[in-house]
Amino acid sequence: MAYLRMQDLDLDGRRVLIREDFNVPMADGAVTSDKRIVAALPTIQQALGKGAAVILMSHLGRPVEGEYDEQYSLAPVAASLSTHLGQKVQLVQDWLGGVEVKPGEVILCQNVRFNPGEKANDEALARRMAALCDVFVMDAFGTAHRAQASTEGVGHYAPIACAGPLLAGELDALKLALEDPQRPLLAIVGGSKVSTKLSVLETLLDRTDQLIVGGGIANTFIAATGHEVGQSLYEPDLIDAAQRLVRLAHERGGNIPIPVDVVVAKSFSADASASVRPVDAVGEDELILDIGPLTAANYAEIIWGAGTVLWNGPVGVFEFENFAGGTRTVAEAIEKSRAFSIAGGGDTLAAIDQFDVAGGISYISTGGGAFLEFVEGKTLPAVAMLEQRGRTEN
Ligand code: AMP
């Protein structure tokens, strides 16, 4: 991958515009998890250490473009950054016309998604962003799969565009694990819907030695084998697709295991009582909310036999204690296994936190959609831009 890296560039006295991912969870106007902010600190400190004037930008949530909305203001992020860096980080409300920043200073531009044209990657907007800087640094892996003005467009017009250490580190780790993995390579794909992950399931069937599905996705596979799934979340339209994947796995001498037991409830709620059933004994009025203990133990065995484990998505409704058992068993099996393990995706990160298994996972990717697209072998648009700019610079 021939892109420039921030650490190799002379930034002394330069205006350095860094696209970070400060899309942090908030409640009552305060940051509730500053993980993403903390993750970005080494990049900012490195740029400051090289004598740069640092301009940060990020999105937060999904505001309506062109409309200022207080709940999506980055003000709480500026406050958190000021505390962590031990210096004032000013939030600049109107920044597209130009900003004042001296070497050693850090400013934060207000939410990029307030600007009309951000999502459509408007060229005029991208050019205005690029005009703010001498060097553009793309450091937000979680948004690298989106071609938007602040992630991709800006890089074409900035005098220099390079990858920041967070983004480069993430790409290096994923590449290492996917290009020459320790075999057998196991992928566990959970979550709610087959439809959002169909192409990733197809690719993984090709690339891995074993695929395990969980969550609402597994429900569709259970229905595809002819079992009753009652009121469970599943996608009748994707039963054909699930059957085709199962057939393909068999043709390749493998399988996609179907849960042998499941945990069911009569309603989708935190206090619903849980019953374990064999997979062929689900009632018409029941919902499957987790894999059962036998199935979870089988999956743990498969995990212990793997050389590399890729994990995306919970295998049950882990947010409800009564239905968290399957995801806990899978998470703890990955934690204890000797395999090189990579986990990614918003809910997966929440599960890793909940079960306190981060210490046993080799690499935790910050990107949800970007992680899945990388695993699928797609070129991430922001990375393609960096590679194109890298070629013209060298
Ligand atoms: P996704 O965003 O597709 O990765 O899905 C994550 C969500 O799927 C989590 O919030 C889980 O609670 C949910 N989920 C997992 N298993 C099930 C299930 N059996 N039924 C309904 N939702 C589920």
Side-chain angles (χ1 to χ4, degrees), residues 34-35 37-38 41 45 77-87:
D34 62 2
K35 273 196 179 157
I37 295 170
V38 170
L41 296 175
Q45 281 157 338
V77 173
S80 172
L81 275 169
S82 300
T83 307
H84 282 296
L85 289 169
Q87 70 181 78

Side-chain angles (χ1 to χ4, degrees), residues 194 197-206 211 213 217 220-221 224 238-252 254-256 258:
V194 174
K197 296 185 185 171
L198 185 59
S199 60
V200 88
L201 290 170
E202 280 167 349
T203 313
L204 287 174
L205 198 58
D206 240 3
L211 178 60
V213 292
I217 294 181
T220 300
F221 280 77
L238 285 151
I239 283 182
D240 283 354
Q243 285 170 337
R244 185 169 48 80
L245 288 172
V246 169
R247 244 188 346 262
L248 272 174
H250 284 150
E251 280 166 24
R252 289 172 192 169
N255 69 339
I256 300 175
I258 304 297

Side-chain angles (χ1 to χ4, degrees), residues 191-193 197 215-216 219 233 268 288-289 314-317 319 347:
S192 50
K193 290 181 172 174
K197 296 185 185 171
N219 293 347
L233 170 69
F268 187 91
I288 303 172
L289 297 182
V315 297
V317 185
E319 298 94 332
D347 287 302

